[in-house]
């Protein structure tokens, strides 16, 4: 039965790919990896960390599907800054899984260029070091650009962007009053965590929740949003292709 299901799914994937041929597709896809704990409970696991482990393993598949779909840039939200307030007994194992996941997608032979974004100074020192060292191995690889958001919050990113703009201006010998007088949108856009992440075309949230929770708050101004009921560990290539089909059917108005 499992083999039959896999064969039918492969046929459907090919059909969806044919239907998407020549249609508009997003350059930058951002995804909220939501529903890991609910999946674990629904699958009968006593330890909800199993959901995070399965969800972490799913990331590699997702990046391969995005590569196949000719997506150029992906942002993965793995941990919010609010999540950092969870009890140590829950947060510690979750950070371990995130470290393992990042090391896996940064491993030699993988074609992706990884950048860690977020308030890394809020992470435990060892976690921040592990993530930065893993991502550094991918510098210059080219291919799919992947931002991994850890300790990330959209409001915090905007505050940090404003601070960074003033820090640069002052370090260059400028008067902060001059910058305050001329401060504009570009001063924030140019100082976001990801220099390549100014424009997000398409945001996907798994698990059925229908809110952005501050994800890419600045970059999502004109993004199309797609909510899917599937919990992240159960997310399939079919679900991505259906989301891309939804994107292709939309008339992007950019606020008009």
């Amino acid at each position: 039965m499992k083999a039959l299901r896999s064969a039918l799914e492969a046929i459907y994937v090919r059909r969806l790919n044919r239907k998407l041929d020549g249609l508009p597709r997003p350059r930058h896809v951002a995804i909220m990896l939501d529903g890991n704990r609910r999946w674990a409970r629904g699958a009968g696991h006593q330890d909800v960390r199993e959901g995070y482990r399965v969800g972490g393993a799913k990331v590699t598949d997702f990046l391969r599907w995005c590569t196949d779909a000719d997506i150029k840039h992906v942002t993965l939200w793995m941990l919010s800054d609010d999540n950092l307030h969870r009890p140590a007994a829950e947060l510690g194992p979750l950070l371990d899984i995130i470290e393992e996941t990042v090391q896996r997608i940064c491993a030699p032979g993988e074609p992706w260029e990884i950048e860690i974004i977020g308030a890394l100074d809020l992470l435990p020192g060892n976690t921040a070091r592990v993530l930065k060292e893993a991502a550094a191995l991918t510098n210059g690889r080219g291919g799919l650009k992947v931002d991994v958001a850890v300790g990330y919050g959209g409001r915090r990113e905007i505050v940090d962007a404003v601070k960074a703009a003033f820090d640069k201006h002052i370090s260059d010998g400028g008067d902060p009053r001059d910058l305050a007088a001329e401060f504009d949108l570009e001063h924030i856009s140019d100082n976001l965590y990801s220099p390549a992440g100014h424009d997000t075309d398409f945001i996907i949230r798994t698990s059925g929740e229908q809110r952005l929770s501050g994800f890419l708050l600045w970059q999502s101004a004109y993004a199309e949003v797609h909510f899917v009921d599937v919990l992240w560990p159960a997310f399939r290539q079919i679900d991505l292709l259906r989301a891309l089909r939804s994107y292709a059917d939309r008339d992007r108005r950019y606020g008009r």
Side-chain angles (χ1 to χ4, degrees), residues 47-108:
D47 187 349
V48 295
R49 289 175 294 185
E50 185 61 23
Y52 290 112
R53 280 190 284 270
V54 175
K58 180 73 64 174
V59 168
T60 302
D61 292 333
F62 181 76
L63 295 182
R64 292 201 172 111
W65 300 335
C66 287
T67 300
D68 291 343
D70 199 31
I71 305 301
K72 304 301 182 185
H73 186 183
V74 167
T75 298
L76 307 164
W77 197 8
M78 289 192 178
L79 186 76
S80 74
D81 53 350
D82 290 331
N83 293 154
L84 295 172
H85 301 300
R86 290 182 180 180
E90 181 180 349
L91 181 60
L94 176 53
L95 290 173
D96 289 342
I97 292 168
I98 290 173
E99 290 176 23
E100 293 167 6
T101 301
V102 170
Q103 288 175 320
R104 187 183 306 120
I105 64 176
C106 293

Side-chain angles (χ1 to χ4, degrees), residues 218-238:
W218 184 267
Q219 302 90 326
S220 65
Y222 300 114
E224 299 295 325
V225 183
H226 180 81
F227 300 108
V228 58
D229 288 334
V230 179
L231 303 175
W232 170 247
F235 194 85
R236 303 164 299 165
Q237 187 176 12
I238 284 174

Side-chain angles (χ1 to χ4, degrees), residues 102-178:
V102 170
Q103 288 175 320
R104 187 183 306 120
I105 64 176
C106 293
E110 298 295 4
W112 311 304
E113 188 162 341
I114 313 296
E115 183 169 356
I116 311 300
I117 65 172
L120 301 187
D121 56 312
L122 299 181
L123 300 176
N126 185 64
T127 295
R129 179 185 59 80
V130 168
L131 297 180
K132 289 177 183 177
E133 288 179 355
L137 298 174
T138 72
N139 289 344
R141 282 187 187 172
L144 180 67
K145 172 74 169 66
V146 182
D147 291 332
V148 179
V150 183
Y152 175 88
R155 289 177 174 176
R156 187 181 299 276
E157 181 178 28
I158 294 171
V159 170
D160 286 349
V162 173
K163 289 179 178 178
F166 274 92
D167 285 345
K168 289 178 184 177
H169 183 77
I170 294 169
S171 66
D172 289 339
D175 187 327
R177 290 171 297 184
D178 293 337

